PDB file of all heavy atoms in Angstrom:
ATOM      1  N   TYR A 130     205.135 264.828 130.582  1.00 96.00           N
ATOM      2  CA  TYR A 130     204.085 265.179 131.565  1.00 96.00           C
ATOM      3  C   TYR A 130     202.739 264.818 130.882  1.00 96.00           C
ATOM      4  O   TYR A 130     202.436 265.292 129.826  1.00 96.00           O
ATOM      5  CB  TYR A 130     204.143 266.672 131.904  1.00 96.00           C
ATOM      6  CG  TYR A 130     202.986 267.158 132.750  1.00 96.00           C
ATOM      7  CD1 TYR A 130     203.081 267.122 134.156  1.00 96.00           C
ATOM      8  CD2 TYR A 130     201.807 267.660 132.161  1.00 96.00           C
ATOM      9  CE1 TYR A 130     202.008 267.579 134.898  1.00 96.00           C
ATOM     10  CE2 TYR A 130     200.756 268.120 132.943  1.00 96.00           C
ATOM     11  CZ  TYR A 130     200.878 268.062 134.301  1.00 96.00           C
ATOM     12  OH  TYR A 130     199.829 268.507 135.093  1.00 96.00           O
ATOM     13  N   LEU A 131     201.951 263.986 131.537  1.00 95.00           N
ATOM     14  CA  LEU A 131     200.659 263.560 131.043  1.00 95.00           C
ATOM     15  C   LEU A 131     199.657 263.719 132.168  1.00 95.00           C
ATOM     16  O   LEU A 131     199.947 263.660 133.327  1.00 95.00           O
ATOM     17  CB  LEU A 131     200.710 262.116 130.601  1.00 95.00           C
ATOM     18  CG  LEU A 131     201.774 261.800 129.510  1.00 95.00           C
ATOM     19  CD1 LEU A 131     201.948 260.271 129.402  1.00 95.00           C
ATOM     20  CD2 LEU A 131     201.357 262.395 128.170  1.00 95.00           C
ATOM     21  N   GLU A 132     198.370 263.883 131.777  1.00 92.00           N
ATOM     22  CA  GLU A 132     197.285 264.047 132.770  1.00 92.00           C
ATOM     23  C   GLU A 132     196.178 263.057 132.515  1.00 92.00           C
ATOM     24  O   GLU A 132     195.823 262.820 131.370  1.00 92.00           O
ATOM     25  CB  GLU A 132     196.695 265.452 132.703  1.00 92.00           C
ATOM     26  CG  GLU A 132     197.619 266.559 133.173  1.00 92.00           C
ATOM     27  CD  GLU A 132     196.960 267.936 133.125  1.00 92.00           C
ATOM     28  OE1 GLU A 132     195.835 268.046 132.604  1.00 92.00           O
ATOM     29  OE2 GLU A 132     197.606 268.895 133.594  1.00 92.00           O
ATOM     30  N   ASN A 133     195.568 262.624 133.629  1.00 90.00           N
ATOM     31  CA  ASN A 133     194.327 261.878 133.628  1.00 90.00           C
ATOM     32  C   ASN A 133     194.253 260.728 132.672  1.00 90.00           C
ATOM     33  O   ASN A 133     193.321 260.611 131.854  1.00 90.00           O
ATOM     34  CB  ASN A 133     193.152 262.827 133.444  1.00 90.00           C
ATOM     35  CG  ASN A 133     192.971 263.760 134.609  1.00 90.00           C
ATOM     36  OD1 ASN A 133     193.544 263.570 135.665  1.00 90.00           O
ATOM     37  ND2 ASN A 133     192.201 264.832 134.421  1.00 90.00           N
ATOM     38  N   ILE A 134     195.230 259.825 132.756  1.00 93.00           N
ATOM     39  CA  ILE A 134     195.199 258.584 131.970  1.00 93.00           C
ATOM     40  C   ILE A 134     194.822 257.459 132.926  1.00 93.00           C
ATOM     41  O   ILE A 134     195.396 257.348 134.021  1.00 93.00           O
ATOM     42  CB  ILE A 134     196.566 258.313 131.323  1.00 93.00           C
ATOM     43  CG1 ILE A 134     196.930 259.442 130.360  1.00 93.00           C
ATOM     44  CG2 ILE A 134     196.542 256.957 130.592  1.00 93.00           C
ATOM     45  CD1 ILE A 134     198.261 259.330 129.734  1.00 93.00           C
ATOM     46  N   PRO A 135     193.886 256.637 132.619  1.00 93.00           N
ATOM     47  CA  PRO A 135     193.499 255.521 133.532  1.00 93.00           C
ATOM     48  C   PRO A 135     194.634 254.510 133.657  1.00 93.00           C
ATOM     49  O   PRO A 135     195.523 254.471 132.792  1.00 93.00           O
ATOM     50  CB  PRO A 135     192.281 254.905 132.850  1.00 93.00           C
ATOM     51  CG  PRO A 135     192.390 255.277 131.408  1.00 93.00           C
ATOM     52  CD  PRO A 135     193.099 256.594 131.369  1.00 93.00           C
ATOM     53  N   SER A 136     194.605 253.715 134.680  1.00 94.00           N
ATOM     54  CA  SER A 136     195.637 252.697 134.847  1.00 94.00           C
ATOM     55  C   SER A 136     195.481 251.648 133.752  1.00 94.00           C
ATOM     56  O   SER A 136     194.386 251.366 133.303  1.00 94.00           O
ATOM     57  CB  SER A 136     195.609 252.086 136.234  1.00 94.00           C
ATOM     58  OG  SER A 136     194.373 251.442 136.446  1.00 94.00           O
ATOM     59  N   GLY A 137     196.584 251.074 133.309  1.00 95.00           N
ATOM     60  CA  GLY A 137     196.537 250.009 132.310  1.00 95.00           C
ATOM     61  C   GLY A 137     197.760 250.064 131.412  1.00 95.00           C
ATOM     62  O   GLY A 137     198.731 250.804 131.643  1.00 95.00           O
ATOM     63  N   ARG A 138     197.718 249.232 130.368  1.00 96.00           N
ATOM     64  CA  ARG A 138     198.784 249.152 129.366  1.00 96.00           C
ATOM     65  C   ARG A 138     198.255 249.640 128.050  1.00 96.00           C
ATOM     66  O   ARG A 138     197.228 249.163 127.568  1.00 96.00           O
ATOM     67  CB  ARG A 138     199.251 247.707 129.262  1.00 96.00           C
ATOM     68  CG  ARG A 138     199.687 247.120 130.563  1.00 96.00           C
ATOM     69  CD  ARG A 138     199.947 245.611 130.478  1.00 96.00           C
ATOM     70  NE  ARG A 138     201.316 245.296 130.105  1.00 96.00           N
ATOM     71  CZ  ARG A 138     202.334 245.291 130.951  1.00 96.00           C
ATOM     72  NH1 ARG A 138     202.145 245.578 132.208  1.00 96.00           N
ATOM     73  NH2 ARG A 138     203.543 244.980 130.534  1.00 96.00           N
ATOM     74  N   PHE A 139     198.948 250.651 127.447  1.00 97.00           N
ATOM     75  CA  PHE A 139     198.440 251.303 126.282  1.00 97.00           C
ATOM     76  C   PHE A 139     199.518 251.320 125.158  1.00 97.00           C
ATOM     77  O   PHE A 139     200.662 251.582 125.436  1.00 97.00           O
ATOM     78  CB  PHE A 139     198.018 252.745 126.606  1.00 97.00           C
ATOM     79  CG  PHE A 139     197.038 252.837 127.661  1.00 97.00           C
ATOM     80  CD1 PHE A 139     197.405 253.154 128.984  1.00 97.00           C
ATOM     81  CD2 PHE A 139     195.692 252.535 127.454  1.00 97.00           C
ATOM     82  CE1 PHE A 139     196.486 253.171 129.997  1.00 97.00           C
ATOM     83  CE2 PHE A 139     194.776 252.585 128.441  1.00 97.00           C
ATOM     84  CZ  PHE A 139     195.161 252.915 129.737  1.00 97.00           C
ATOM     85  N   PRO A 140     199.080 251.049 123.882  1.00 97.00           N
ATOM     86  CA  PRO A 140     200.019 251.135 122.806  1.00 97.00           C
ATOM     87  C   PRO A 140     200.448 252.601 122.594  1.00 97.00           C
ATOM     88  O   PRO A 140     199.584 253.497 122.685  1.00 97.00           O
ATOM     89  CB  PRO A 140     199.241 250.590 121.612  1.00 97.00           C
ATOM     90  CG  PRO A 140     197.826 250.553 121.995  1.00 97.00           C
ATOM     91  CD  PRO A 140     197.755 250.597 123.492  1.00 97.00           C
ATOM     92  N   ALA A 141     201.710 252.820 122.387  1.00 96.00           N
ATOM     93  CA  ALA A 141     202.213 254.143 122.236  1.00 96.00           C
ATOM     94  C   ALA A 141     203.297 254.188 121.132  1.00 96.00           C
ATOM     95  O   ALA A 141     203.849 253.155 120.764  1.00 96.00           O
ATOM     96  CB  ALA A 141     202.807 254.648 123.553  1.00 96.00           C
ATOM     97  N   ARG A 142     203.603 255.412 120.673  1.00 95.00           N
ATOM     98  CA  ARG A 142     204.625 255.561 119.655  1.00 95.00           C
ATOM     99  C   ARG A 142     205.430 256.808 120.014  1.00 95.00           C
ATOM    100  O   ARG A 142     204.840 257.880 120.314  1.00 95.00           O
ATOM    101  CB  ARG A 142     204.001 255.683 118.313  1.00 95.00           C
ATOM    102  CG  ARG A 142     204.990 255.945 117.183  1.00 95.00           C
ATOM    103  CD  ARG A 142     204.352 255.677 115.823  1.00 95.00           C
ATOM    104  NE  ARG A 142     205.245 256.018 114.735  1.00 95.00           N
ATOM    105  CZ  ARG A 142     206.293 255.234 114.345  1.00 95.00           C
ATOM    106  NH1 ARG A 142     206.547 254.106 114.986  1.00 95.00           N
ATOM    107  NH2 ARG A 142     207.033 255.591 113.369  1.00 95.00           N
ATOM    108  N   LEU A 143     206.743 256.706 119.955  1.00 95.00           N
ATOM    109  CA  LEU A 143     207.665 257.845 120.144  1.00 95.00           C
ATOM    110  C   LEU A 143     208.385 258.032 118.822  1.00 95.00           C
ATOM    111  O   LEU A 143     208.844 257.091 118.230  1.00 95.00           O
ATOM    112  CB  LEU A 143     208.676 257.482 121.271  1.00 95.00           C
ATOM    113  CG  LEU A 143     209.417 258.589 121.978  1.00 95.00           C
ATOM    114  CD1 LEU A 143     208.482 259.537 122.642  1.00 95.00           C
ATOM    115  CD2 LEU A 143     210.374 258.001 122.970  1.00 95.00           C
ATOM    116  N   PHE A 144     208.424 259.270 118.304  1.00 94.00           N
ATOM    117  CA  PHE A 144     208.972 259.513 116.978  1.00 94.00           C
ATOM    118  C   PHE A 144     209.624 260.842 116.891  1.00 94.00           C
ATOM    119  O   PHE A 144     209.252 261.829 117.570  1.00 94.00           O
ATOM    120  CB  PHE A 144     207.897 259.385 115.890  1.00 94.00           C
ATOM    121  CG  PHE A 144     206.723 260.289 116.123  1.00 94.00           C
ATOM    122  CD1 PHE A 144     206.677 261.550 115.549  1.00 94.00           C
ATOM    123  CD2 PHE A 144     205.640 259.911 116.891  1.00 94.00           C
ATOM    124  CE1 PHE A 144     205.616 262.384 115.735  1.00 94.00           C
ATOM    125  CE2 PHE A 144     204.573 260.746 117.123  1.00 94.00           C
ATOM    126  CZ  PHE A 144     204.571 261.998 116.534  1.00 94.00           C
ATOM    127  N   LYS A 145     210.664 260.927 116.039  1.00 93.00           N
ATOM    128  CA  LYS A 145     211.361 262.156 115.774  1.00 93.00           C
ATOM    129  C   LYS A 145     212.054 262.021 114.418  1.00 93.00           C
ATOM    130  O   LYS A 145     212.876 261.140 114.207  1.00 93.00           O
ATOM    131  CB  LYS A 145     212.398 262.426 116.837  1.00 93.00           C
ATOM    132  CG  LYS A 145     213.143 263.756 116.669  1.00 93.00           C
ATOM    133  CD  LYS A 145     214.059 263.946 117.859  1.00 93.00           C
ATOM    134  CE  LYS A 145     214.825 265.289 117.713  1.00 93.00           C
ATOM    135  NZ  LYS A 145     215.767 265.471 118.801  1.00 93.00           N
ATOM    136  N   GLY A 146     211.692 262.903 113.477  1.00 89.00           N
ATOM    137  CA  GLY A 146     212.248 262.778 112.115  1.00 89.00           C
ATOM    138  C   GLY A 146     211.887 261.460 111.500  1.00 89.00           C
ATOM    139  O   GLY A 146     210.732 261.058 111.494  1.00 89.00           O
ATOM    140  N   ASP A 147     212.900 260.709 111.008  1.00 87.00           N
ATOM    141  CA  ASP A 147     212.619 259.421 110.394  1.00 87.00           C
ATOM    142  C   ASP A 147     212.726 258.271 111.375  1.00 87.00           C
ATOM    143  O   ASP A 147     212.640 257.106 111.009  1.00 87.00           O
ATOM    144  CB  ASP A 147     213.570 259.223 109.212  1.00 87.00           C
ATOM    145  CG  ASP A 147     215.031 259.232 109.581  1.00 87.00           C
ATOM    146  OD1 ASP A 147     215.330 259.580 110.754  1.00 87.00           O
ATOM    147  OD2 ASP A 147     215.863 258.911 108.713  1.00 87.00           O
ATOM    148  N   LYS A 148     212.895 258.578 112.638  1.00 88.00           N
ATOM    149  CA  LYS A 148     213.056 257.533 113.661  1.00 88.00           C
ATOM    150  C   LYS A 148     211.727 257.387 114.412  1.00 88.00           C
ATOM    151  O   LYS A 148     211.102 258.394 114.759  1.00 88.00           O
ATOM    152  CB  LYS A 148     214.173 257.923 114.651  1.00 88.00           C
ATOM    153  CG  LYS A 148     214.330 256.927 115.752  1.00 88.00           C
ATOM    154  CD  LYS A 148     215.439 257.278 116.707  1.00 88.00           C
ATOM    155  CE  LYS A 148     215.565 256.211 117.725  1.00 88.00           C
ATOM    156  NZ  LYS A 148     216.876 256.054 118.243  1.00 88.00           N
ATOM    157  N   GLY A 149     211.314 256.177 114.641  1.00 89.00           N
ATOM    158  CA  GLY A 149     210.081 255.927 115.446  1.00 89.00           C
ATOM    159  C   GLY A 149     210.172 254.606 116.129  1.00 89.00           C
ATOM    160  O   GLY A 149     210.748 253.658 115.668  1.00 89.00           O
ATOM    161  N   CYS A 150     209.561 254.576 117.342  1.00 92.00           N
ATOM    162  CA  CYS A 150     209.570 253.366 118.104  1.00 92.00           C
ATOM    163  C   CYS A 150     208.161 253.135 118.678  1.00 92.00           C
ATOM    164  O   CYS A 150     207.580 254.024 119.285  1.00 92.00           O
ATOM    165  CB  CYS A 150     210.517 253.444 119.281  1.00 92.00           C
ATOM    166  SG  CYS A 150     212.255 253.697 118.861  1.00 92.00           S
ATOM    167  N   ASN A 151     207.612 251.928 118.471  1.00 94.00           N
ATOM    168  CA  ASN A 151     206.363 251.568 119.078  1.00 94.00           C
ATOM    169  C   ASN A 151     206.674 250.812 120.403  1.00 94.00           C
ATOM    170  O   ASN A 151     207.624 250.084 120.489  1.00 94.00           O
ATOM    171  CB  ASN A 151     205.554 250.611 118.182  1.00 94.00           C
ATOM    172  CG  ASN A 151     205.120 251.325 116.918  1.00 94.00           C
ATOM    173  OD1 ASN A 151     204.719 252.474 116.949  1.00 94.00           O
ATOM    174  ND2 ASN A 151     205.226 250.638 115.787  1.00 94.00           N
ATOM    175  N   PHE A 152     205.845 251.093 121.425  1.00 94.00           N
ATOM    176  CA  PHE A 152     206.055 250.452 122.699  1.00 94.00           C
ATOM    177  C   PHE A 152     204.749 250.421 123.451  1.00 94.00           C
ATOM    178  O   PHE A 152     203.717 250.954 123.013  1.00 94.00           O
ATOM    179  CB  PHE A 152     207.139 251.199 123.504  1.00 94.00           C
ATOM    180  CG  PHE A 152     206.784 252.589 123.924  1.00 94.00           C
ATOM    181  CD1 PHE A 152     206.332 252.871 125.200  1.00 94.00           C
ATOM    182  CD2 PHE A 152     206.902 253.664 123.001  1.00 94.00           C
ATOM    183  CE1 PHE A 152     206.020 254.152 125.566  1.00 94.00           C
ATOM    184  CE2 PHE A 152     206.545 254.965 123.371  1.00 94.00           C
ATOM    185  CZ  PHE A 152     206.127 255.194 124.655  1.00 94.00           C
ATOM    186  N   GLU A 153     204.753 249.811 124.619  1.00 94.00           N
ATOM    187  CA  GLU A 153     203.587 249.747 125.502  1.00 94.00           C
ATOM    188  C   GLU A 153     203.860 250.600 126.709  1.00 94.00           C
ATOM    189  O   GLU A 153     204.835 250.360 127.451  1.00 94.00           O
ATOM    190  CB  GLU A 153     203.347 248.318 125.889  1.00 94.00           C
ATOM    191  CG  GLU A 153     202.022 248.127 126.625  1.00 94.00           C
ATOM    192  CD  GLU A 153     201.741 246.668 126.887  1.00 94.00           C
ATOM    193  OE1 GLU A 153     202.487 246.014 127.646  1.00 94.00           O
ATOM    194  OE2 GLU A 153     200.758 246.160 126.300  1.00 94.00           O
ATOM    195  N   LEU A 154     203.031 251.632 126.894  1.00 95.00           N
ATOM    196  CA  LEU A 154     203.162 252.479 128.088  1.00 95.00           C
ATOM    197  C   LEU A 154     202.319 251.933 129.200  1.00 95.00           C
ATOM    198  O   LEU A 154     201.128 251.701 129.063  1.00 95.00           O
ATOM    199  CB  LEU A 154     202.699 253.942 127.775  1.00 95.00           C
ATOM    200  CG  LEU A 154     202.838 254.901 128.903  1.00 95.00           C
ATOM    201  CD1 LEU A 154     204.299 255.120 129.267  1.00 95.00           C
ATOM    202  CD2 LEU A 154     202.244 256.293 128.519  1.00 95.00           C
ATOM    203  N   VAL A 155     202.970 251.678 130.374  1.00 95.00           N
ATOM    204  CA  VAL A 155     202.277 251.124 131.515  1.00 95.00           C
ATOM    205  C   VAL A 155     201.996 252.247 132.513  1.00 95.00           C
ATOM    206  O   VAL A 155     202.883 252.945 132.992  1.00 95.00           O
ATOM    207  CB  VAL A 155     203.147 250.046 132.178  1.00 95.00           C
ATOM    208  CG1 VAL A 155     202.450 249.466 133.394  1.00 95.00           C
ATOM    209  CG2 VAL A 155     203.456 248.940 131.169  1.00 95.00           C
ATOM    210  N   ILE A 156     200.697 252.431 132.791  1.00 95.00           N
ATOM    211  CA  ILE A 156     200.293 253.406 133.797  1.00 95.00           C
ATOM    212  C   ILE A 156     199.792 252.628 135.008  1.00 95.00           C
ATOM    213  O   ILE A 156     198.804 251.899 134.991  1.00 95.00           O
ATOM    214  CB  ILE A 156     199.106 254.278 133.271  1.00 95.00           C
ATOM    215  CG1 ILE A 156     199.536 255.018 132.005  1.00 95.00           C
ATOM    216  CG2 ILE A 156     198.637 255.252 134.321  1.00 95.00           C
ATOM    217  CD1 ILE A 156     200.606 256.081 132.169  1.00 95.00           C
ATOM    218  N   PRO A 157     200.470 252.749 136.169  1.00 95.00           N
ATOM    219  CA  PRO A 157     200.141 251.993 137.339  1.00 95.00           C
ATOM    220  C   PRO A 157     198.880 252.544 138.023  1.00 95.00           C
ATOM    221  O   PRO A 157     198.583 253.768 137.906  1.00 95.00           O
ATOM    222  CB  PRO A 157     201.356 252.123 138.239  1.00 95.00           C
ATOM    223  CG  PRO A 157     201.952 253.400 137.839  1.00 95.00           C
ATOM    224  CD  PRO A 157     201.653 253.572 136.376  1.00 95.00           C
ATOM    225  N   LYS A 158     198.197 251.732 138.737  1.00 95.00           N
ATOM    226  CA  LYS A 158     197.039 252.189 139.569  1.00 95.00           C
ATOM    227  C   LYS A 158     197.634 252.912 140.793  1.00 95.00           C
ATOM    228  O   LYS A 158     198.499 252.361 141.463  1.00 95.00           O
ATOM    229  CB  LYS A 158     196.185 251.024 139.980  1.00 95.00           C
ATOM    230  CG  LYS A 158     194.913 251.420 140.681  1.00 95.00           C
ATOM    231  CD  LYS A 158     194.015 250.166 140.932  1.00 95.00           C
ATOM    232  CE  LYS A 158     192.807 250.524 141.664  1.00 95.00           C
ATOM    233  NZ  LYS A 158     191.827 251.285 140.876  1.00 95.00           N
ATOM    234  N   SER A 159     197.177 254.106 141.044  1.00 93.00           N
ATOM    235  CA  SER A 159     197.731 254.871 142.148  1.00 93.00           C
ATOM    236  C   SER A 159     196.694 255.899 142.644  1.00 93.00           C
ATOM    237  O   SER A 159     195.907 256.402 141.841  1.00 93.00           O
ATOM    238  CB  SER A 159     199.002 255.586 141.705  1.00 93.00           C
ATOM    239  OG  SER A 159     199.461 256.428 142.750  1.00 93.00           O
TER     240      SER A 159
END
């Protein structure tokens, strides 16, 4: 659950313990 992020493509990282993944989070215009 996220709030008030503008539309666009943003660098993001998901991680847990020694595992981590970089990705691009896409927030659509709505």
Side-chain angles (χ1 to χ4, degrees):
Y130 172 90
L131 303 166
E132 291 182 353
N133 294 345
I134 298 177
S136 61
R138 303 171 90 80
F139 304 100
R142 179 166 176 75
L143 199 59
F144 56 92
K145 182 177 180 182
D147 59 352
K148 179 179 181 150
C150 299
N151 293 321
F152 65 101
E153 187 174 68
L154 182 64
V155 179
I156 302 292
K158 186 173 178 72
S159 175

